[in-house]
Amino acid sequence: MAQSIAAAVTRKVQRQRVGSFIRVRDLEVNIGVTRHAIEVVMSRLAAADVVQSFGRGLYWKGDLGRGGMQPPSAAALGIEVGGTGSGPCDVSAARFLGLTSQVPVSEHIAVPGRAPAPLPGIEFHSRPHSRATHALRPAEVAVLEVLRIWPSGVEETWRSFCSRVTKLIERGVVRIEVVSAALNDERTPDARRHWHAFRERLATSR
């Protein structure tokens, strides 16, 4: 039985693409297999450098180099730990959108609801839980966060910001109505004002 569980879990891991996160809760082998049993197998795979463990039932399958498996970026790990509706904030958000050349000492990640404990190189910041309900994408979170702090931490002009966000909208990465709905739950009047100014600019440019 143990061998069949190990084989099934290993096959599922092997099918995962390189450069992806794997959660134990998503590795259901069959009815009756406990999470603990899957964790035992994943721990062995981590010891064999097939995956990397980041606790909380979270693993990473990265590229293998001479020095072992390449870890995920701090930003990618922070967003994965934060869950749906998470994304970069503060200077990290401005950098994500290409609006600053500053490199933060730690990645700053905004998460819906209660912020998790910090991880090495990652700081989490609590935001409205409705961001998860709206299923905001990381780029949408970055836009919201830059709107919150504008012009602090930004080196580019308002015109550059509008141009970058417009391109993300045209590519389908940022959804106007979803961002607008999420802003209704934000306690930052300046963010809503800036978003309104952006939408007016967008309307007149079309």
Side-chain angles (χ1 to χ4, degrees), residues 40-194:
V40 169
V41 178
M42 292 301 293
S43 294
R44 290 173 182 168
L45 293 177
D49 212 20
V50 175
V51 294
Q52 284 184 334
S53 172
F54 288 97
R56 304 180 180 85
L58 179 64
Y59 293 83
W60 164 258
K61 182 179 178 180
D63 279 315
L64 282 173
R66 291 183 178 179
M69 184 169 292
Q70 299 301 307
S73 68
L77 177 58
I79 291 170
E80 183 68 25
V81 170
T84 301
S86 299
C89 65
D90 297 338
V91 176
S92 295
R95 184 170 177 80
F96 183 95
L97 295 176
L99 299 171
T100 182
S101 59
Q102 297 180 62
V103 180
V105 175
S106 297
E107 286 292 342
H108 294 266
I109 305 297
V111 302
R114 185 176 180 181
L119 293 172
I122 307 172
E123 292 184 26
F124 295 100
H125 304 266
S126 178
R127 295 292 187 265
H129 190 271
S130 57
R131 290 190 179 188
T133 304
H134 293 299
L136 289 182
R137 299 166 179 169
E140 294 167 338
V141 173
V143 170
L144 278 178
E145 291 296 325
V146 169
L147 291 171
R148 285 170 59 101
I149 66 174
W150 185 272
S152 176
V154 178
E155 296 173 349
E156 296 290 336
T157 63
W158 175 252
R159 180 177 180 179
S160 294
F161 168 78
C162 292
S163 176
R164 301 257 166 86
V165 177
T166 298
K167 289 178 181 178
L168 291 174
I169 291 170
E170 291 172 345
R171 289 165 47 198
V173 177
V174 169
R175 300 160 295 174
I176 292 179
E177 297 309 322
V178 173
V179 174
S180 296
L183 273 168
N184 290 330
D185 303 317
E186 299 285 326
R187 297 180 180 178
T188 49
D190 282 348
R192 288 192 291 274
R193 179 170 57 83
H194 291 142

